[in-house]
Each structure stands twice: as structure tokens, then as C-alpha cells.
């Protein structure tokens, strides 16, 4: 008989509905039951694409004897970390305090009033890798809870005190004014930990750290330091030619387990691919590398082919596993390649590292790590034909499962990335997809124009929106506004910013992750600005406020952005990798602010040409403002009073409070942007 997860709004939770574990959903009923039965809560947090979550489920949660131990001694609660990132954030922080690191699956033991007193990640069914068997852990924790309540209370009280720092930036580092010197020091310190051979940050496992690469790229554009440019380009080349990239279907995996970017953890996440599309497009505007354009086009094609839901929004992720094996869908052996490609096999095998011995567990992960760039046009055309043949054959395999949950924050990242790519490469269809996804999220997740739900599954809403949802969707709205000139997008952005202020604001600066009046069961209301693999909500909000200030000239937006960046300034100056988004947003606020104002009618060739030239500029912090014919920028804006000249599409480039003379051609605008 299915357990309580059968009606959950998360595909991940529904995967566990037939476990013999009496799983409960996170909520008042589970906590009330724990209080009534005086049992600890066993909290298990995972997500649909998590390989080790599946391993632990098969080994332990599907085992009758283990399930009996769990049911007899605990109230067992299963949480999808993507559906409830607030729960995950609090208890991951607790695990980091216990063990110095976090991870999934998260296995946390908490008191009936929600305070953690011990935890870990994956536990095997028998002792291995230095980890005790899960049944031993279950018996030991139950005995301690039953026989030594003073120890439990003491551990819980200590953890509750430690977790309070999550809600207090001053406990994480003093408030501090940031400066341009902070940005330069951050770029230098980040450069010092880059892997000169393999690209990316040194060590393994290896994550893309795309927000940190963005910080390096902005540092190069600001300073002209060639080493910063090389570090970014080298990392993107290695990842784009490595095994972390799906050379047949497009898209990047979440991370690699090795230093060389060969062996991925095969799950594909929407947010990673959005960030890759965004940064590759930005870097391409300077170096015009064919490899980067190819990877953008292939990854956008993957997203539009495989990630769209029927409503037009984007699904969350693809699993790492198929048929119970990690990576089975993606890997090959030499005999398959020879049989399928015939006379074209030798060239393909040389290009993609195909050998009889394989390069991972006697199988082949396709990669081109031996070459940083693409080959000549004829060779690439022949390889493309071979890839297409293999892709067709691969499509007949059992595919990894897709998590069809729609997340507002991740969709915001992909929408903004599609706008950037569409304007960079002149692909109108990508803009159409971005607008359609935006409308789908607003329609399904939005209420009264001001509020957002965080998640939905087949149109059914989940939790209320968190800071990241509002921040990323507001950023997406502004990207669409800049690209189309449509006022409704900016209106929506300003409504969401007002909601952020009303529901998430903190008296001493910055914003809480969860809204006011949120889940009272959580021991702390987190407030932080450090990036995870995704940009932080506070970092993104700072950038949104900066862009609204530049678009409107309203000083209140600038003041709020400065207050926000100052609140987290002490930590950002010390740990630039973790606070890269906040630092990047601060640069938008204080750098030589470049605003391109275009007066003209959208969808007309002369205006579109000026728009294309504006977006072709290298700087990611520039703001583009399309002003309808007969109107002008608002008072307080540096271009206030400037309009079309002579009835022709007209552009001005404003830096700080000074604006250029009007120009009317894309070539003239490009020259201004290069000179600015």
C-alpha cells in the first residue's frame, strides 16, 4: 500500500511512495506525531537526479528489515531539496557544523520540535568506506534518544545556537563597504586557485563554478589582465570538450569526479545549463570562438527539445541513472562505435577518445579533451554526421528519468540566459521560447501579479516562493524588458521587487531566504549571500536593484543595493568564490555605468539593428533601454530629455551621468561602445 508520499507534488517524493518505510511529508502532522509518540524525526533529504539518493533508497528504504527499524523508532520524513530549499538549507548547515561538509542524501536526526542533534549523508547497509552500517546508526541513535535525553538536549541546544548565525550576517562577518579595489583583490585571489592545466578551480570533485568564472571575466574586462581572460577561456574550453559535456545530445552534467573534466556525475540540471549558456554567450561576444557558439547552440537545442513542459516552462533535471546504473545511457564501447560508423569510425574514435580499454570502468565517455578547439569545417561536418547517427541509436536506449517539476528560480535563470543568447546570436526563436517560458511561470506560479509559488508539478503549485524565485524571475523580466522594450516586463519586475522588500527584507540590510510568516518549524530563518552552484538570491537581488536604478534613475533602488552589498561586504571580501554573484552585482552598481538608450519602434529594422549592436557589446553590466517613439527616459535618468532625432532610430551611450551625441547606425553605435 502506498505511503503518504503518493499524493506529493514532487516526482522525487513519489518515487518513494511504495517503500515499506512509513514516509511522511514535511508538515505539522509529522511533527505532531513525533511529539505525541515521543520519537525523533528521521529526516531524509534528496532530489530526483541524485545517484547516491537512489543507491540508499534501493539498499535501505526498500529493505523490509531496515524499514521496520525506521518505522518502530522514528517518524520518517522525506523532503525534496529542490521543492523545499529552505528545509535543505537549514539542515545542510547543521550537517556542515557536525562534519564540516554537506551533501545528499542528507540523513538528519532531529527532535520533535525540529532541532537537529546528529546527522550524516549516505549510509551503506554494511560497514564500508569508513561509514557504519545504516541499521547500526538507526539502533544507536534510537537508544541515545531513549536512554540519554540529556545528551540529546545538550547537542540540540548547541546546534540551535550555531544555526542562529545563518540569519545574522554580522555573525558571519562585519558589514563592510565594498569598493573597486575589493573587486580587483577578489579576481586576483580567485586566479591564484585556478587549475592551470585542467581549467577551473583546482582539486576534485570539480564543479563548474560559473559565477566565479563570471567574476574573473568581469575582472578581465575591467582591467585588461590577460591572465584573467585565459583562466576563463581555458576552463570553458576544457569543460566544453570534456566528458562533463554531452557531445551527442548537448547539455552539461552537474560536476565531474576527477580533475580533468572526464568523468561526470551524469545528472543534468536546468540551472547549470542556463549558467553555461549565459556565460558562453557573454564570452563569445569578445573572442567569437566557434567552439563556444557551437556549445551554446547545442545546449539551447537540448533545452528546447528535452526540457520543455507542455505549458512552455522548463523541467528541473534529468537523472544520472537509467536501468539502475549510473551513466548507462551515455557511455559506449569500441565495438558499438565500429559497428555503427563503419569506415567513419577511425576518425570518430580518434576525435572522441574511443579505445578498446575505455576510459571509465571499461566503457567510453565521449570527450575531446586532447583538443581545446574545433577542427576544420570538413572534419567537423563529418564528425557531426557520425554524432547524429550515434544520437539516433542512443535515443532508442532506456533514457534517464526527467523530473518534471517546474521551479520558478531555475526557470528565471534559463529565461535570462535565453535572452542573452538570442540577442548575442540573433536567434529570434530563442527569444520566443524565453517569453513563452516567462508567461508560463507567471500563469502557473503567479498570484495577483505580486506573488510567486516556488514550484509546481503538472500545474499544481507547491511551496510559496523564496527569495531566489523572486530574484531570478525579476532578473528575467528585466532581461526581456531590455531586449524588447515592453514596459509590462519592467512593471512586473518592480512589483516583484516591492514584494521582496515587503516579505523578505531585514532591518539591518539584505533579505531573508524565506518569506515572513513562513515555516515556523524551522529553527532559523536563513539570511545569506553566498552562492551555491546557483547564484545567491541576495547577490542577484543586488544586481536587479542596480539595473532598476540605471533604467529609472530612481535613487531609492541604488540605496537599497548599496545597503544590501554592505550588509554582506565583510564576508564577500574574504571569500570571493562564495560571494561572486554579490561582487558581480556590486560592479554593475559602481562601475562606469554604461547605458545604451535607443529611441525607435521595436520590430523595425533600423531599431533592431541598433538593438543588436547594443547587445553585441562585450560588457555584461551594460544596460539597454529601448524608448518608444515620442517618449523619453524618466526624470533622473542621465538621458532624460533625449529622444529620437529627425524621426530616425537613434542611440545614445551614457556613462555615469554623461551621454554621447546621438548616432543612427549600428556601426556608429559599435564604435561608441568600443570607445566607452
Amino acid at each position: 500500500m502506498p505511503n503518504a508520499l503518493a499524493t506529493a507534488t514532487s516526482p522525487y517524493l513519489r518515487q518513494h511512495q511504495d517503500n515499506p518505510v512509513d514516509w511522511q511529508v514535511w508538515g505539522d502532522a509529522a511533527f505532531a506525531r513525533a511529539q505525541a509518540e515521543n520519537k525523533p524525526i528521521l529526516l531524509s533529504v534528496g532530489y530526483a537526479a541524485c545517484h547516491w539518493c537512489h543507491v540508499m533508497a534501493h539498499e535501505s528504504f526498500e529493505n523490509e528489515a531496515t524499514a521496520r527499524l525506521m518505522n518502530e523508532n522514528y517518524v520518517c520524513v522525506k523532503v525534496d531539496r529542490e521543492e523545499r530549499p529552505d528545509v535543505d538549507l537549514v539542515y545542510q548547515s547543521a550537517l556542515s557544523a557536525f562534519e564540516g561538509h554537506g551533501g545528499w542524501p542528507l540523513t538528519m536526526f532531529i527532535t520533535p520540535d525540529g532541532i537537529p542533534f546528529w546527522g550524516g549523508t549516505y549510509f551503506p547497509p554494511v560497514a564500508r568506506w569508513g561509514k557504519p552500517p545504516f541499521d547500526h546508526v538507526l539502533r544507536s541513535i534510537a537508544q541515545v534518544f531513549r536512554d540519554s535525553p540529556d545528551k540529546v538536549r545538550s547537542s540540540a541546544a548547541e546546534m540551535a545556537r550555531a544555526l542562529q548565525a545563518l540569519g545574522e550576517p554580522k555573525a558571519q562577518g562585519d558589514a563592510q563597504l565594498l569598493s573597486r579595489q575589493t573587486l580587483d583583490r577578489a579576481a586576483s585571489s580567485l586566479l591564484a586557485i585556478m587549475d592551470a592545466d585542467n581549467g577551473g578551480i583546482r582539486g576534485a570533485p570539480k564543479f563548474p563554478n560559473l559565477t566565479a568564472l563570471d567574476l574573473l571575466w568581469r575582472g578581465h574586462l575591467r582591467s585588461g589582465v590577460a591572465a584573467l581572460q585565459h583562466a576563463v577561456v581555458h576552463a570553458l574550453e576544457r569543460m566544453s570538450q570534456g566528458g562533463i559535456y554531452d557531445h551527442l545530445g548537448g547539455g552539461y552534467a552537474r560536476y565531474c569526479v576527477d580533475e580533468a573534466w572526464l568523468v561526470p556525475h551524469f545528472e543534468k540540471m536546468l540551472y547549470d545549463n542556463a549558467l553555461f549558456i549565459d556565460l558562453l554567450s557573454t564570452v563569445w561576444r569578445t573572442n567569437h570562438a566557434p567552439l563556444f557558439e557551437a556549445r551554446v547552440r547545442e545546449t539551447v537545442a537540448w533545452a528546447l527539445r528535452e526540457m520543455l513542459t507542455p505549458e512552455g516552462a522548463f523541467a528541473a533535471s534529468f537523472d544520472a541513472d537509467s536501468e539502475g546504473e549510473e551513466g548507462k545511457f551515455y557511455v559506449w564501447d569500441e565495438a558499438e562505435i565500429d559497428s555503427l560508423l563503419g569506415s567513419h569510425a577511425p576518425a570518430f574514435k580518434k576525435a572522441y577518445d574511443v579505445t578498446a580499454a575505455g576510459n571509465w570502468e571499461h566503457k567510453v565517455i565521449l570527450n575531446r579533451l586532447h583538443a581545446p578547439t574545433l577542427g576544420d569545417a570538413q572534419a567537423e561536418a563529418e564528425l557531426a554526421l557520425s554524432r547524429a547517427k550515434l544520437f539516433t541509436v542512443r535515443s532508442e536506449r532506456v533514457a534517464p528519468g526527467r523530473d518534471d517539476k517546474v521551479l520558478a528560480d531555475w526557470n528565471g535563470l534559463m529565461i535570462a540566459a535565453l535572452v542573452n543568447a538570442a540577442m548575442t546570436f540573433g536567434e529570434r526563436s530563442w527569444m520566443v521560447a524565453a517569453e513563452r517560458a516567462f508567461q508560463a511561470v507567471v500563469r502557473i506560479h503567479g498570484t495577483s501579479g505580486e506573488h510567486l509559488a516556488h514550484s509546481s508539478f503538472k500545474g499544481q503549485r507547491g511551496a510559496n516562493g523564496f527569495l531566489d524565485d523572486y530574484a531570478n524571475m525579476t532578473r528575467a523580466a528585466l532581461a526581456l524588458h531590455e531586449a524588447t522594450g515592453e514596459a509590462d516586463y519592467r512593471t512586473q519586475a518592480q512589483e516583484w521587487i516591492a514584494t521582496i522588500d515587503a516579505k523578505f527584507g531585514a532591518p539591518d540590510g539584505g533579505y531573508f531566504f524565506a518569506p515572513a510568516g513562513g515555516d515556523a518549524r524551522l529553527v532559523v530563518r536563513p539570511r545569506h549571500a553566498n552562492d551555491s552552484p546557483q547564484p545567491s538570491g541576495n547577490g542577484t537581488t543586488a544586481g536587479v536593484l542596480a539595473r532598476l536604478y540605471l533604467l529609472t534613475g530612481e535613487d531609492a533602488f541604488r540605496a537599497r543595493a548599496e545597503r544590501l552589498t554592505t550588509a554582506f561586504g565583510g564576508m564577500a571580501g574574504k571569500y570571493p568564490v562564495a560571494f561572486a554573484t554579490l561582487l558581480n552585482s556590486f560592479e554593475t552598481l559602481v562601475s562606469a555605468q554604461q547605458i545604451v538608450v535607443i529611441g525607435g519602434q521595436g520590430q523595425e529594422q533600423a531599431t533592431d539593428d541598433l538593438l543588436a549592436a547594443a547587445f553585441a557589446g562585450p560588457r555584461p553590466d551594460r544596460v539597454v533601454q529601448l524608448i518608444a517613439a515620442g517618449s523619453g527616459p524618466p526624470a533622473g535618468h542621465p538621458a532624460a530629455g533625449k529622444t529620437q532625432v529627425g524621426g530616425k532610430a537613434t542611440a545614445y551611450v551614457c556613462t555615469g551621468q554623461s551621454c554621447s551625441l546621438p548616432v543612427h547606425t549600428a556601426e556608429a553605435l559599435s564604435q561608441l561602445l568600443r570607445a566607452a
Side-chain angles (χ1 to χ4, degrees):
M1 181 182 228
N3 55 44
L5 304 185
T7 57
T9 56
S10 159
Y12 169 69
L13 297 187
R14 293 190 182 202
Q15 290 174 4
H16 295 80
Q17 64 180 306
D18 294 318
N19 291 170
V21 178
D22 184 19
W23 289 117
Q24 305 296 304
V25 296
W26 175 275
D28 290 337
F31 280 84
R33 179 174 165 182
Q35 293 275 6
E37 298 178 9
N38 192 31
K39 288 182 178 179
I41 291 173
L42 194 166
L43 175 66
S44 176
V45 182
Y47 59 100
C50 171
H51 170 69
W52 288 104
C53 299
H54 300 321
V55 172
M56 191 167 178
H58 295 321
E59 291 176 343
S60 296
F61 304 153
E62 295 172 6
N63 182 282
E64 293 283 352
T66 303
R68 192 177 307 114
L69 264 177
M70 295 170 68
N71 295 336
E72 288 173 355
N73 294 285
Y74 303 92
V75 173
C76 302
V77 175
K78 175 62 81 171
V79 166
D80 180 345
R81 65 112 173 179
E82 296 166 359
E83 187 177 51
R84 289 301 305 266
D86 55 335
V87 174
D88 182 61
L89 176 58
V90 169
Y91 292 106
Q92 285 288 349
S93 299
L95 179 59
S96 293
F98 284 131
E99 296 195 345
H101 64 85
W104 298 277
L106 173 64
T107 307
M108 186 62 63
F109 298 91
I110 62 180
T111 64
D113 54 356
I115 302 175
F117 62 91
W118 197 77
T121 53
Y122 162 79
F123 290 102
V126 295
R128 60 174 176 249
W129 306 317
K131 292 178 176 287
F134 190 44
D135 61 350
H136 175 78
V137 171
L138 292 170
R139 290 188 178 94
S140 298
I141 297 297
Q143 182 177 1
V144 169
F145 186 85
R146 183 175 59 250
D147 299 341
S148 304
D150 289 344
K151 287 185 179 180
V152 173
R153 281 194 292 270
S154 176
S155 177
E158 182 179 349
M159 184 51 58
R161 287 192 295 272
L163 286 174
Q164 290 307 313
L166 262 181
E168 301 171 4
K170 288 181 180 178
Q172 303 167 34
D174 291 336
Q176 179 179 308
L177 286 170
L178 297 176
S179 66
R180 291 179 178 85
Q181 288 71 35
T182 307
L183 298 174
D184 292 337
R185 287 194 301 269
S188 296
S189 62
L190 178 54
L191 183 62
I193 62 172
M194 298 298 286
D195 185 335
D197 295 323
N198 298 301
I201 293 174
R202 289 196 297 265
K206 226 173 178 67
F207 288 82
N209 287 302
L210 294 163
T211 56
L213 292 181
D214 189 15
L215 186 151
L216 285 178
W217 185 251
R218 289 166 181 254
H220 158 65
L221 295 178
R222 185 175 62 250
S223 68
V225 173
L228 298 174
Q229 179 187 39
H230 173 75
V232 176
V233 171
H234 182 49
L236 291 175
E237 286 174 345
R238 295 286 295 177
M239 289 187 281
S240 294
Q241 294 290 63
I244 193 172
Y245 183 72
D246 179 1
H247 291 267
L248 299 185
Y252 294 79
R254 192 165 74 95
Y255 69 93
C256 275
V257 302
D258 65 318
E259 285 188 321
W261 301 109
L262 172 63
V263 182
H265 208 37
F266 289 89
E267 68 264 40
K268 290 182 182 178
M269 318 301 291
L270 182 67
Y271 61 81
D272 283 318
N273 285 283
L275 294 173
F276 266 110
I277 291 168
D278 217 357
L279 185 58
L280 285 166
S281 298
T282 296
V283 174
W284 181 88
R285 291 200 298 272
T286 293
N287 75 352
H288 297 283
L291 173 64
F292 293 175
E293 179 176 357
R295 295 297 177 259
V296 169
R297 290 186 178 279
E298 292 160 0
T299 302
V300 171
W302 164 78
L304 298 182
R305 183 182 66 243
E306 299 190 22
M307 295 299 282
L308 281 175
T309 67
E311 300 82 11
F314 291 93
S317 64
F318 269 97
D319 206 331
D321 300 5
S322 57
E323 300 183 84
E325 293 184 27
E326 182 185 11
K328 183 175 182 179
F329 181 75
Y330 297 101
V331 298
W332 299 84
D333 59 47
E334 185 185 41
E336 288 178 290
I337 302 295
D338 286 335
S339 174
L340 291 167
L341 298 184
S343 62
H344 296 283
F348 185 87
K349 291 194 297 183
K350 182 179 180 181
Y352 286 95
D353 190 26
V354 179
T355 63
N359 52 30
W360 178 66
E361 297 184 357
H362 309 295
K363 293 288 186 179
V364 172
I365 298 171
L366 299 178
N367 74 92
R368 301 181 71 174
L369 282 166
H370 62 283
T373 59
L374 299 180
D376 62 63
Q378 182 177 348
E380 291 300 328
E382 291 176 358
L383 290 173
L385 292 174
S386 294
R387 289 198 308 272
K389 184 173 290 188
L390 295 181
F391 177 77
T392 299
V393 172
R394 194 182 77 173
S395 299
E396 297 172 359
R397 297 176 178 176
V398 176
R402 189 179 84 164
D403 186 337
D404 288 339
K405 180 170 73 259
V406 172
L407 300 171
D409 52 345
W410 296 9
N411 270 262
L413 291 173
M414 181 56 82
I415 293 163
L418 282 175
V419 172
N420 188 17
M423 298 306 292
T424 297
F425 296 103
E427 291 290 347
R428 176 63 190 163
S429 63
W430 300 354
M431 183 68 69
V432 171
E435 293 194 85
R436 184 176 180 228
F438 184 88
Q439 298 303 333
V441 174
V442 170
R443 184 174 66 254
I444 299 167
H445 291 230
T447 57
S448 69
E450 300 172 2
H451 304 295
L452 280 170
H454 167 62
S455 64
S456 68
F457 178 59
K458 295 184 177 179
Q460 182 179 356
R461 292 177 186 166
N464 289 330
F466 301 103
L467 175 62
D468 292 22
D469 298 300
Y470 287 93
N472 289 349
M473 285 298 293
T474 302
R475 176 172 171 263
L478 289 181
L480 287 165
H481 169 67
E482 290 186 46
T484 67
E486 293 291 338
D488 287 349
Y489 289 124
R490 196 178 84 188
T491 299
Q492 180 65 84
Q494 291 183 250
E495 288 179 352
W496 282 334
I497 276 291
T499 301
I500 289 175
D501 281 328
K503 296 180 68 173
F504 298 88
D508 55 344
Y511 299 93
F512 290 100
F513 180 74
D519 196 333
R521 292 175 292 266
L522 292 175
V523 66
V524 65
R525 189 181 175 200
R527 179 165 47 130
H528 72 93
N530 51 293
D531 297 337
S532 62
Q534 305 151 54
S536 73
N538 269 296
T540 302
T541 300
V544 165
L545 288 168
R547 297 187 91 84
L548 280 170
Y549 163 63
L550 296 173
L551 285 165
T552 65
E554 293 181 21
D555 198 60
F557 291 126
R558 180 198 56 77
R560 280 142 66 188
E562 287 182 347
R563 197 157 169 261
L564 192 167
T565 56
T566 299
F568 297 100
M571 290 291 281
K574 292 177 183 177
Y575 306 106
V577 175
F579 289 81
T581 299
L582 186 81
L583 292 169
N584 291 337
S585 294
F586 175 75
E587 182 184 26
T588 300
L589 183 67
V590 301
S591 66
Q593 299 154 347
Q594 189 178 86
I595 311 171
V596 184
V597 178
I598 299 172
Q601 187 65 41
Q603 305 289 322
E604 288 186 353
Q605 191 61 51
T607 305
D608 289 348
D609 289 346
L610 289 174
L611 269 175
F615 277 90
R619 293 175 51 166
D621 63 346
R622 59 93 181 90
V623 170
V624 179
Q625 192 160 16
L626 179 61
I627 305 296
S631 62
H637 191 287
K642 297 186 182 298
T643 59
Q644 280 183 269
V645 176
K648 296 188 293 185
T650 305
Y652 303 85
V653 176
C654 302
T655 303
Q657 293 301 308
S658 300
C659 297
S660 70
L661 294 173
V663 296
H664 302 286
T665 67
E667 181 180 358
L669 177 56
S670 297
Q671 289 177 351
L672 281 177
L673 292 174
R674 285 194 295 268

